[in-house]
Amino acid sequence: TLRVPPSLSAKVEGSFAYLTIRDRLPTILTKAVDSIHRNKDKFFEQYGEEGLRAEKAAIGLLSKLRNELQTDKPVLPLVDELEDAEGWNLYLQRHEALQGEQDPVSWFRSPWLYVECYMYRRIQEALWLNPPISGFDAFQEAKTQSYFESQRAVMALCTHLEGLRKTVAGLPEDQLLEHFDRLLQVSLWGNKCDLSISAGQDNSQKTSPIDSLAELRPFILVDDTRSVWSALVSARDRGGPGRVDIILDNAGFELTTDLVLADFLVASGLARSVRFHGKAMPWFVSDVTAQDFTWTVRQTVASNHRFMSASGVQWQRYVREGVWTYLDHPFWTQPHPFCDMAADAPDLHAGLQGAALVLFKGDLNYRKLTGDREWAPTAAFATALRGFAPAPLCSLRTLKANVQVGLQPGQAEQLGQRQPDWMTCGQYAVVQFHSPPRR
Ligand code: F6P
Ligand code: MG
């Protein structure tokens, strides 16, 4: 039997997990507080005195949360009555039992993945306990701003897509592969633009990503594009194009790159349909919620830019016709590694089994695929997945955490010599594929 390595944790002083909890998370909380405060007048207009009371109370809860975090207090059970609260509290008990009484479950002592997810869930609690503003997204403004800051890059991408749309039907297979390869990389590098690694600072895409793909290529540490392509083509040639599921990461530029890829997959006959999976609550600052998804498509339609709006119209049509669907599931906003999905969210797991390909966008999804553990960089991806393989799957991820598997012997050492922070600087990426054993 396999010995599973320990979870990444802020216990290790100086580690990226430690620095995240010490520096980045408090900053993110402060920004959430600021955003709520800036909307004070709006709350007053909408809800009167009750809105002001709620604003104050929510901010009070968030300040208390920041204090708990900074002084490494024990993790507290949730007290709101959201559907998933009980699950979170059971999860806490599980961790308490594992750690034992000597070692309380706390911000700097427990698994990083768990406490980081827990922080976002507590932000939701602070709002939920204050009804008139419970639906407020404290990261909305940051997401919107980052979307607008990447406008030029979005235009360039939509122009590319509209050009492609005209020719894609008759393309020979080798050219189709070239286009696939390109748009997969655009979607991959779109993951650079998240607002969690930058603690909410501007991190948008300013230039056309298509022009820089060649320069970026050497930074892709594992490139399984060929296998991803084969999964789609073999499904297509077996029984017609299959369904692709995209487990989304960030709103803003990254989401647009995902929509462009999805459009290409359908237009080229590589996929019959696409299901997008987003988050049921604001998550890791910039992750896509239902509201972000709808907003982005509408915004694209409403653009003055001819090709942007043409793309948007097409996306709306896909949604209307059910070729594209947007879904969320509580599991995506829980702290579980994906190897727990079959047991903890069997409905979601069963649903994914119907896909020809599942694309997991971004760093957080990679951490959950690998359980956020201290794997040796040469450990096999299949090993780190610990049995999770509902369908052929691929991670498209820029590295922003100390976990990476599937590298060649010596590769990590070489990278470390060239750039000591290669795992967390966001400049490196992987296109990493795994397929379930044939049944
Ligand atoms: O806050 C840390 C973190 O989980 C990092 O691992 C990563 O920087 C970020 O948040 C989320 O990145 P992504 O949006 O790619 O999942
Ligand atoms: Mg994210």
Side-chain angles (χ1 to χ4, degrees):
T1 56
L2 169 80
R3 272 198 33 229
V4 180
S7 302
L8 297 177
S9 164
K11 253 193 280 210
V12 183
E13 236 172 273
S15 67
F16 190 66
Y18 172 84
L19 295 173
T20 297
I21 294 182
R22 195 193 64 181
D23 303 330
R24 223 143 30 90
L25 298 191
T27 309
I28 288 169
L29 278 173
T30 303
K31 295 219 159 136
V33 165
D34 289 348
S35 164
I36 295 172
H37 192 63
R38 264 199 309 279
N39 281 275
K40 200 173 159 190
D41 295 343
K42 199 185 88 188
F43 297 147
F44 181 68
E45 273 164 39
Q46 285 181 321
Y47 314 110
E49 289 299 329
E50 186 54 15
L52 290 186
R53 189 212 50 79
E55 179 253 1
K56 247 209 190 120
I59 289 181
L61 290 177
L62 292 178
S63 309
K64 178 173 166 287
L65 172 61
R66 187 175 47 205
N67 183 267
E68 287 169 26
L69 182 158
Q70 288 179 314
T71 53
D72 197 21
K73 291 284 176 330
V75 164
L76 302 175
L78 296 171
V79 296
D80 62 35
E81 261 139 43
L82 287 176
E83 234 177 314
D84 63 344
E86 200 190 320
W88 275 92
N89 292 345
L90 286 173
Y91 199 73
L92 171 58
Q93 285 171 18
R94 229 198 271 176
H95 274 271
E96 282 170 341
L98 275 175
Q99 290 193 204
E101 257 167 54
Q102 263 58 34
D103 196 9
V105 177
S106 75
W107 296 88
F108 284 85
R109 308 287 313 155
S110 299
W112 174 32
L113 177 62
Y114 170 42
V115 292
E116 196 176 18
C117 290
Y118 171 77
M119 182 189 85
Y120 290 94
R121 182 58 182 79
R122 282 282 300 273
I123 297 178
Q124 189 65 18
E125 180 188 60
L127 290 160
W128 184 255
L129 291 174
N130 292 287
I133 65 164
S134 49
F136 184 73
D137 179 350
F139 303 121
Q140 188 75 58
E141 293 172 339
K143 287 186 271 193
T144 313
Q145 194 187 344
S146 143
Y147 176 81
F148 287 124
E149 265 149 9
S150 64
Q151 276 308 281
R152 295 174 66 84
V154 169
M155 285 172 191
L157 210 51
C158 290
T159 308
H160 180 81
L161 177 68
E162 290 306 310
L164 195 54
R165 198 193 297 291
K166 295 199 188 79
T167 56
V168 76
L171 283 182
E173 205 80 336
D174 57 331
Q175 284 183 38
L176 204 57
L177 170 58
E178 263 174 48
H179 286 293
F180 172 75
D181 185 48
R182 200 171 295 149
L183 291 182
L184 199 69
Q185 282 173 55
V186 168
S187 166
L188 169 66
W189 293 116
N191 182 243
K192 267 191 177 184
C193 300
D194 88 86
L195 298 175
S196 163
I197 190 83
S198 64
Q201 295 295 343
D202 175 25
N203 188 21
S204 56
Q205 177 76 30
K206 303 287 191 297
T207 54
S208 165
I210 300 189
D211 301 337
S212 28
L213 292 183
E215 269 161 63
L216 290 170
R217 183 121 230 175
F219 293 89
I220 304 179
L221 304 178
V222 176
D223 187 356
D224 293 337
T225 303
R226 275 298 186 144
S227 313
V228 185
W229 165 261
S230 298
L232 288 174
V233 168
S234 71
R236 183 195 65 188
D237 297 347
R238 234 180 303 131
R243 192 188 78 214
V244 173
D245 283 47
I246 305 184
I247 319 306
L248 295 170
D249 188 359
N250 304 299
F253 182 68
E254 180 171 1
L255 176 57
T256 302
T257 65
D258 300 333
L259 297 173
V260 167
L261 175 64
D263 189 335
F264 168 78
L265 291 177
V266 172
S268 63
L270 285 166
R272 166 175 47 85
S273 60
V274 178
R275 299 202 311 180
F276 298 95
H277 299 260
K279 305 294 196 291
M281 66 183 77
W283 203 245
F284 282 66
V285 187
S286 44
D287 286 15
V288 177
T289 63
Q291 167 155 322
D292 298 326
F293 188 86
T294 319
W295 182 86
T296 304
V297 173
R298 282 214 197 109
Q299 207 58 42
T300 316
V301 175
S303 165
N304 291 326
H305 187 273
R306 202 171 118 218
F307 296 125
M308 242 181 100
S309 112
S311 298
V313 168
Q314 180 61 52
W315 299 347
Q316 247 174 0
R317 192 174 307 139
Y318 286 142
V319 172
R320 201 171 342 110
E321 292 171 354
V323 178
W324 283 7
T325 36
Y326 175 90
L327 303 164
D328 49 39
H329 189 286
F331 185 77
W332 303 124
T333 44
Q334 276 159 11
H336 306 252
F338 293 154
C339 61
D340 289 351
M341 188 191 287
D344 289 329
D347 54 328
L348 180 63
H349 190 266
L352 292 181
Q353 285 177 320
L357 174 69
V358 187
L359 292 173
F360 287 90
K361 294 295 317 277
D363 193 72
L364 178 60
N365 278 326
Y366 193 82
R367 291 172 60 191
K368 289 184 163 187
L369 284 166
T370 57
D372 211 36
R373 292 176 179 278
E374 294 174 21
W375 297 104
T378 49
F381 189 34
T383 307
L385 287 167
R386 300 180 69 198
F388 178 68
L393 63 87
C394 175
S395 158
L396 298 175
R397 172 243 186 171
T398 59
L399 281 64
K400 302 171 215 159
N402 293 101
V403 54
Q404 182 58 56
V405 295
L407 298 189
Q408 299 303 316
Q411 200 178 357
E413 289 75 7
Q414 243 175 36
L415 284 160
Q417 272 160 20
R418 204 182 317 148
Q419 191 162 345
D421 65 348
W422 64 279
M423 284 181 125
T424 52
C425 65
Q427 286 176 30
Y428 292 88
V430 293
V431 177
Q432 201 159 24
F433 179 82
H434 174 72
S435 190
R438 280 190 185 269
R439 272 163 296 179

